[in-house]
Amino acid sequence: MTVMDLKLSVVGCGYLGATHAACMSSLGFTVVGVDTDPEKVAQLQNGILPFYEPGLDTLLAEEMKSGRLSFTTDFSSVANADVHFICVGTPQSKDGLAADLTYVKSAVKAIAPHLKTGSLVVGKSTVPVGTAQSLREELMKIAPEADLAWNPEFLREGFAVEDTLTPNRLVVGVANDLAEEVLKKVYKPILDLGTPWIRADLPTSELVKVAANSFLATKISFINAMAEVCEAAGGDVTVLAKAIGYDPRIGNKFLQAGIGFGGGCLPKDIRAFMARAEELGAKQALEFLREIDAINLRARLRVIDVVRSELSDDLTGRKIAVLGATFKPDSDDVRDSPALDIAAQLNAAGALVTVHDPKGIEPARRRFPLLQYAESINDAVKDSDLVLHLTEWKEYRQIDPVKIASLVKNKIIIDGRNMLDRDLWRKAGWKFRALGRTD
Ligand code: UDX
């Protein structure tokens, strides 16, 4: 049997699973993607991506044509596969900080009766440490001839294809050599590129993912804390970030001060990590993450304070244009989006908020139907008392401040992402304010 004779299944076809399925198919494997949502499956089966991710739409369409890739709602279709990737979501639970493991548990349960001898279940979802071991024990009861490994995924939305096909490392948590060998076969084309391979035990592999996301969240909140100090002391956080970033021990990535992190990963991962540490009796070790979360949420309030200060503290009936709804550019994901949260809070305070986003309007409308949405930047800013830049889409850096000046009522712009060219806006007569910059 050659490596490519290995057949794969991918359970859960959201951002992670759909990307993984299409990418594995592009490496030459036969892949079946399974999801419980018939609408999503129907779209994928027609080669249509149910969400926006640069490059993935074309890849999906190509792979569907290749005949190697298929999607279904029927869990028994995994029976032919040798390796099964679990890519379902682990959202924050409704009643606390912990992760909701319902989907992971039911995914493993749903495929277990169909597993053939020697098959390997590989978890990719982000889970609290200890989950893999207990899932492995459960699996062994139903399918004693199968095994379970963990293989955390580090892909960033907006770079999902690139991060999957050329990751900066591959981490596998395995209980024995055989599982590692199987995973090495699956990832051979990626390993051949010189990608670092890290073998870990099951708990360490789960921890790697949450540790990485906690570190990233810490970096962002660190620079946002510095932004607060800069505001108090009359400094400029963008200059500070640039200056400390030249130290290679610090590095200049993830030091962009602004309204903070959001999305389907960072916020819920640090919270779930705290909850799990408490269960393990290591609560104190992660107390600092509570502060990271607090700094992050405070950034949203700080921008609202700046808006209030510009509009004489009375938001009633004031027209505010919000540029950006998604939690980051090059994505249509609005999960825990700081931009949308701020828009909703301003709206609740009586402002008339109009939101623009290049890709996220429909998902945003589904979440906040009462906000106003505009299809173009010009429509969004028309007659506005103030413009807020909240997601750093390239389109917004290309706005000509001279041209849109004639559309607004007041030439006031607040840059919540520290990405716009301050001098350019000021030259065009705008009052320009940003987080962490007093000037
Ligand atoms: C993150 C991790 O980066 C990725 O490795 C993991 O697999 C999933 O979670 P993602 O959620 O796609 O990826 O977003 P990321 O690029 O990490 O950005 C998260 C948030 O932080 C965004 O809201 C972004 O705007 C914000 N951010 C990022 C900042 O505010 N400042 C920065 O300097 C960097």
Side-chain angles (χ1 to χ4, degrees):
M1 180 158 104
T2 72
V3 171
M4 292 313 170
D5 290 335
L6 279 176
K7 292 191 173 53
L8 314 180
S9 87
V10 173
V11 183
C13 297
Y15 286 97
L16 170 58
T19 308
H20 196 65
C23 287
M24 290 297 117
S25 166
S26 78
L27 294 179
F29 294 105
T30 302
V31 185
V32 60
V34 194
D35 200 288
T36 50
D37 179 346
E39 218 172 293
K40 193 187 282 178
V41 166
Q43 279 182 297
L44 289 165
Q45 188 55 29
N46 285 321
I48 300 162
L49 196 59
F51 52 88
Y52 176 70
E53 175 62 42
L56 186 57
D57 45 357
T58 359
L59 187 72
L60 174 73
E62 276 168 20
E63 293 313 311
M64 290 308 294
K65 271 192 216 136
S66 78
R68 287 186 297 269
L69 181 60
S70 61
F71 293 92
T72 177
T73 51
D74 177 6
F75 280 86
S76 70
S77 323
V78 307
N80 283 330
D82 307 280
V83 182
H84 310 265
F85 290 98
I86 306 294
C87 296
V88 294
T90 50
Q92 186 173 338
S93 48
K94 293 200 171 56
D95 51 0
L97 295 185
D100 178 354
L101 295 177
T102 316
Y103 305 113
V104 176
K105 286 182 186 163
S106 57
V108 173
K109 220 168 159 187
I111 61 167
H114 307 291
L115 298 179
K116 62 181 179 188
T117 301
S119 47
L120 182 66
V121 177
V122 183
K124 288 189 83 64
S125 310
T126 304
V127 290
V129 59
T131 306
Q133 189 53 46
S134 68
L135 284 174
R136 188 166 183 265
E137 282 158 18
E138 285 304 306
L139 181 72
M140 295 294 187
K141 285 185 207 156
I142 316 171
E145 302 300 327
D147 195 2
L148 183 136
W150 218 259
N151 167 220
E153 179 58 58
F154 305 99
L155 72 79
R156 297 160 298 167
E157 289 179 25
F159 300 91
V161 174
E162 185 186 323
D163 285 352
T164 304
L165 292 174
T166 53
N168 42 33
R169 79 289 210 191
L170 285 164
V171 178
V172 296
V174 290
N176 52 55
D177 292 343
L178 190 61
E180 184 184 15
E181 266 170 46
V182 173
L183 281 163
K184 274 196 168 158
K185 274 189 202 161
V186 172
Y187 286 126
K188 187 175 184 307
I190 298 175
L191 279 173
D192 287 349
L193 303 172
T195 309
W197 177 263
I198 295 169
R199 171 180 171 161
D201 50 36
L202 291 173
T204 308
S205 68
E206 293 163 309
L207 283 171
V208 168
K209 174 64 193 266
V210 279
N213 274 358
S214 298
F215 194 86
L216 294 171
T218 301
K219 252 191 134 176
I220 301 167
S221 277
F222 173 82
I223 202 63
N224 283 334
M226 293 306 111
E228 289 185 42
V229 178
C230 281
E231 281 165 17
D236 185 329
V237 74
T238 62
V239 179
L240 182 146
K242 197 171 167 188
I244 63 171
Y246 277 115
D247 183 334
R249 293 171 302 173
I250 296 173
N252 59 7
K253 305 246 164 64
F254 264 63
L255 284 183
Q256 192 69 34
I259 56 169
F261 58 82
C265 293
L266 262 46
K268 65 112 177 144
D269 285 356
I270 61 169
R271 292 172 195 153
F273 199 14
M274 283 187 270
R276 184 64 183 135
E278 188 169 350
E279 285 170 5
L280 293 168
K283 182 177 179 208
Q284 216 181 356
L286 298 187
E287 268 309 328
F288 75 97
L289 287 178
R290 209 169 295 280
E291 198 52 45
I292 299 305
D293 201 6
I295 295 168
N296 191 53
L297 295 176
R298 205 153 65 221
R300 302 179 187 186
L301 301 179
R302 282 170 42 234
V303 85
I304 294 173
D305 284 346
V306 182
V307 173
R308 284 189 177 281
S309 74
E310 288 303 327
L311 298 178
S312 323
D313 211 25
D314 185 9
L315 301 183
T316 324
R318 306 306 290 275
K319 287 198 77 178
I320 298 177
V322 166
L323 301 181
T326 54
F327 84 103
K328 67 189 281 191
D330 297 317
S331 169
D332 63 356
D333 196 347
V334 297
R335 284 176 295 171
D336 202 350
S337 165
L340 209 46
D341 183 16
I342 291 162
Q345 289 196 48
L346 291 169
N347 188 63
L352 302 172
V353 180
T354 306
V355 181
H356 174 267
D357 192 278
K359 297 285 176 196
I361 289 187
E362 284 319 312
R365 204 196 300 272
R366 282 196 291 275
R367 243 182 104 45
F368 290 104
L370 295 181
L371 292 172
Q372 297 295 314
Y373 294 93
E375 293 296 329
S376 74
I377 297 173
N378 285 359
D379 286 347
V381 302
K382 201 164 181 304
D383 300 325
S384 61
D385 291 292
L386 187 144
V387 180
L388 260 179
H389 173 241
L390 297 183
T391 311
E392 66 275 34
W393 286 93
K394 197 165 116 224
E395 283 87 334
Y396 301 146
R397 293 197 286 288
Q398 292 166 342
I399 293 174
D400 181 346
V402 177
K403 278 198 186 138
I404 69 159
S406 59
L407 300 175
V408 299
K409 191 160 143 218
N410 293 328
K411 285 186 275 177
I412 306 172
I413 178 137
I414 301 172
D415 185 4
R417 289 292 186 182
N418 277 306
M419 283 295 240
L420 300 177
D421 184 338
R422 183 174 64 180
D423 293 345
L424 193 75
W425 283 80
R426 285 199 175 151
K427 240 185 253 160
W430 287 74
K431 177 158 194 198
F432 186 98
R433 293 198 58 189
L435 290 182
R437 303 174 90 179
T438 29
D439 177 19

